[in-house]
Amino acid sequence: NKVGWLALGAGIAGGADAILIPEIPYDVERVADAIRGRSHRGKRFSLVAVAEGAISKQKVQALRAAENKVAKAKSRGDQANAEAELKQVEAQHVGNTMRLARELEELTGLESRVTILGYLQRGGTPSAYDRELGTRYGVEAVALAMRGEFGKMVALRCTEVVGVSLDSVIAEFVDDTGEWKKLREV
């Protein structure tokens, strides 16, 4: 399950001008319009935060059409071709951020530079606390698996490492409209 609360939080913290998350399919033309508008107002750059699972409205339509073909093919007992088509549509999403950057360059006439935060965040030497906490997380993750408690993540609550249901984590941050719940509570 791909969710966008990390990208949403990073985008807000970093002052992003557009934040694209899986919960809200985006329209690339609207993003390009926003960037062009900022440029016309004299802004020298625009920052677009893109969650890994962010998907365009057009891709959502193609994905739903392929999923519908699979469902119809199952009832006819001829699902191999439909499933191959679905896999092909899903595979087109790989490298989406780089493709989006190129598309925004074409639509705006402005240069795009991509920074993958996952790569950037992996730098630096871990402290003793980092190493100890990582070990505690690993021990708890193994304990959860051994108890058959799947669909959970490990988290730090005060000083205790605990298992937390992924459903509760997702529900806590982003609702089904894509709105970041914590912002509404402030």
Side-chain angles (χ1 to χ4, degrees):
N1 218 359
K2 295 190 176 180
V3 295
W5 67 271
L6 280 175
L8 186 59
I12 291 169
D17 302 297
I19 304 170
L20 309 179
I21 60 175
E23 293 86 352
I24 305 172
Y26 63 87
D27 179 345
V28 71
E29 284 289 342
R30 285 191 63 198
V31 177
D33 285 345
I35 292 170
R36 283 190 295 262
R38 285 181 48 76
S39 181
H40 291 310
R41 291 189 303 277
K43 304 297 180 183
R44 298 185 61 195
F45 68 91
S46 293
L47 181 62
V48 180
V50 182
E52 181 180 346
I55 188 168
S56 70
K57 289 180 179 180
Q58 297 87 338
K59 289 279 190 311
V60 167
Q61 290 173 347
L63 191 58
R64 287 190 181 139
E67 288 169 345
N68 286 338
K69 279 187 180 180
V70 169
K72 289 177 184 175
K74 279 184 181 177
S75 66
R76 294 188 314 265
D78 176 36
Q79 64 192 70
N81 289 337
E83 285 177 354
E85 183 178 333
L86 176 59
K87 285 183 181 180
Q88 184 179 14
V89 171
E90 289 171 342
Q92 290 171 357
H93 194 66
V94 174
N96 185 54
T97 302
M98 298 305 286
R99 199 170 23 261
L100 174 63
R102 285 191 303 274
E103 194 171 358
L104 288 173
E105 276 187 350
E106 291 171 12
L107 290 170
T108 65
L110 301 169
E111 178 186 13
S112 289
R113 297 181 188 171
V114 175
T115 301
I116 308 294
L117 280 183
Y119 302 147
L120 187 66
Q121 291 172 324
R122 289 185 182 106
T125 304
S127 68
Y129 178 79
D130 295 333
R131 292 174 193 272
E132 188 261 342
L133 183 59
T135 300
R136 291 176 62 201
Y137 280 163
V139 168
E140 181 62 20
V142 169
L144 287 170
M146 289 179 69
R147 291 193 303 263
E149 295 181 41
F150 301 104
K152 290 188 174 185
M153 60 167 258
V154 291
L156 185 64
R157 282 211 179 121
C158 296
T159 59
E160 184 182 3
V161 175
V162 297
V164 178
S165 163
L166 289 175
D167 289 335
S168 70
V169 173
I170 292 165
E172 184 176 341
F173 290 100
V174 179
D175 64 18
D176 58 354
T177 67
E179 215 173 309
W180 201 31
K181 289 182 174 183
K182 294 293 181 191
L183 285 180
R184 289 194 315 228
E185 295 171 6
V186 172

